[in-house]
Amino acid sequence: MKILVPVKQVPDPNAIRFDASGTFASSTPRVVNEYDQYAIEEAIRLKESGAATEVVVMTIGPSGARDAVNRGLAMGADRGLLVVASDTDLEATDVAAVITAEARDGGYDLVLVGQETSDGGSGVVGPQVAAKLGVPLVSNVVSLEVGDGKLTLGREVEDGRHIVETPLPVVVCALTGLNDPRSPSLKGIMAARKKPVQEAQIASYETNGADISWGKLYAEERVVEGTIIETDAESAARQVVELLREKKLI
Ligand SMILES: Cc1cc2nc3c(=O)[nH]c(=O)nc-3n(C[C@H](O)[C@H](O)[C@H](O)COP(=O)(O)OP(=O)(O)OC[C@H]3O[C@@H](n4cnc5c(N)ncnc54)[C@H](O)[C@@H]3O)c2cc1C
């Protein structure tokens, strides 16, 4: 089984920076999208178990997005692909078109994407790839077992778990709970340096070009209404009880 894992480099949600005017700062550090880390980990586990023959990690983004591919390689993927695209070239339809072209030309059996990204968050790339390839899509996947030419997948649904069986090829969207992604070891990081990373330009793929424009990204001002009680602990406790009674909360 050949596995393609498309990953996206996103602003680190734990270190978002805004400049003095409250606008998103490009100096915010970048990380691999959280759900994509589950996808990489699952693909590597399938390779380690002998179920997969090759794991390829690809990304579409500015040249700095190569770090996302490198992380996948350091975790254990076999090779990487970076499709260089400028900021304004990227749109879900085009990202999906590039992934579809790679999945089709490379003869992949499984395309393991993240459920959605922590920045764009549209969750449409996986479904679009499946539709373009004409293969099944299984979303919200939290467990995966390989059978004879098929996969048994557990999907998280509102009131429990939904178990589905699907033939290959298939597009699977990874969700939290699928596994516990490893951190790359020093050995893995050293090994990654020798692994091949192919580089291509988005212009070499058939895409439509972006026709969505993004507005300003800014920090919302929070207005917190509250009462601050500044006194000793005993009287503070009394005042809190009075306040709660006034508001009929006790
Ligand atoms: C003007 C403009 C500027 C933009 N600038 C940037 C930018 O600088 N950098 C940027 O990354 N995006 C940028 N985008 C956003 C870009 O459009 C989205 O990355 C794209 O639409 C994917 O949508 P999403 O993030 O909602 O993906 P979702 O559909 O939520 O992603 C689902 C899964 O698809 C896969 N996937 C998604 N995106 C990629 C990718 N790029 N490479 C490989 N796999 C992927 C991952 O497995 C991911 O978990 C820009 C968009 C516009 C319109």
Side-chain angles (χ1 to χ4, degrees):
M1 175 167 51
K2 271 183 83 175
I3 308 178
L4 180 65
V5 189
V7 301
K8 184 178 175 188
Q9 200 183 42
V10 294
D12 184 348
N14 297 314
I16 300 284
R17 294 179 190 149
F18 290 93
D19 64 20
S21 69
T23 307
F24 177 69
S26 55
S27 60
T28 297
R30 307 260 158 175
V31 292
V32 174
N33 180 50
E34 185 190 345
Y35 292 143
D36 304 356
Q37 296 187 34
Y38 302 121
I40 301 172
E41 176 65 32
E42 198 62 23
I44 293 166
R45 288 185 188 195
L46 290 171
K47 173 91 193 281
E48 288 170 344
S49 72
T53 49
E54 190 181 34
V55 175
V56 178
V57 175
M58 72 173 288
T59 195
I60 302 141
S63 50
R66 190 184 174 119
D67 289 347
V69 171
N70 289 343
R71 187 173 174 94
L73 296 177
M75 285 171 75
D78 298 299
R79 61 186 175 89
L81 169 64
L82 166 67
V83 179
V84 180
S86 75
D87 291 358
T88 47
D89 280 340
L90 290 163
E91 198 181 290
T93 315
D94 292 334
V95 168
V98 173
I99 295 171
T100 304
E102 282 304 322
R104 189 177 283 137
D105 296 350
Y108 290 90
D109 306 290
L110 172 60
V111 181
L112 248 174
V113 295
Q115 178 64 32
E116 64 178 20
T117 56
S118 58
D119 60 350
S122 60
V124 300
V125 169
Q128 285 196 28
V129 172
K132 285 171 192 281
L133 286 173
V135 304
L137 167 90
V138 187
S139 60
N140 292 327
V141 169
V142 291
S143 71
L144 185 155
E145 278 170 36
V146 181
D148 194 11
K150 62 176 188 187
L151 296 181
T152 304
L153 302 159
R155 302 183 61 239
E156 191 161 282
V157 288
E158 206 173 345
D159 50 357
R161 197 169 281 199
H162 182 201
I163 306 292
V164 295
E165 271 189 8
T166 173
L168 298 168
V170 63
V171 176
V172 167
C173 305
L175 197 63
T176 313
L178 180 58
N179 52 49
D180 187 9
R182 70 194 72 187
S183 293
S185 63
L186 186 60
K187 196 174 153 209
I189 294 167
M190 299 303 283
R193 292 184 180 180
K194 293 189 185 133
K195 293 181 180 174
V197 179
Q198 189 196 337
E199 197 170 305
Q201 300 295 321
I202 197 161
S204 60
Y205 293 85
E206 255 180 59
T207 57
N208 293 324
D211 53 11
I212 295 173
S213 61
W214 280 17
K216 190 178 155 203
L217 183 64
Y218 60 92
E220 203 170 324
E221 215 172 291
R222 284 196 187 167
V223 182
V224 181
E225 275 185 36
T227 308
I228 296 173
I229 300 168
E230 283 181 282
T231 178
D232 61 276
E234 204 178 316
S235 355
R238 224 173 283 125
Q239 286 184 43
V240 168
V241 171
E242 271 167 34
L243 270 173
L244 292 173
R245 280 210 181 108
E246 265 172 38
K247 293 186 184 295
K248 300 199 187 326
L249 291 169
I250 54 172

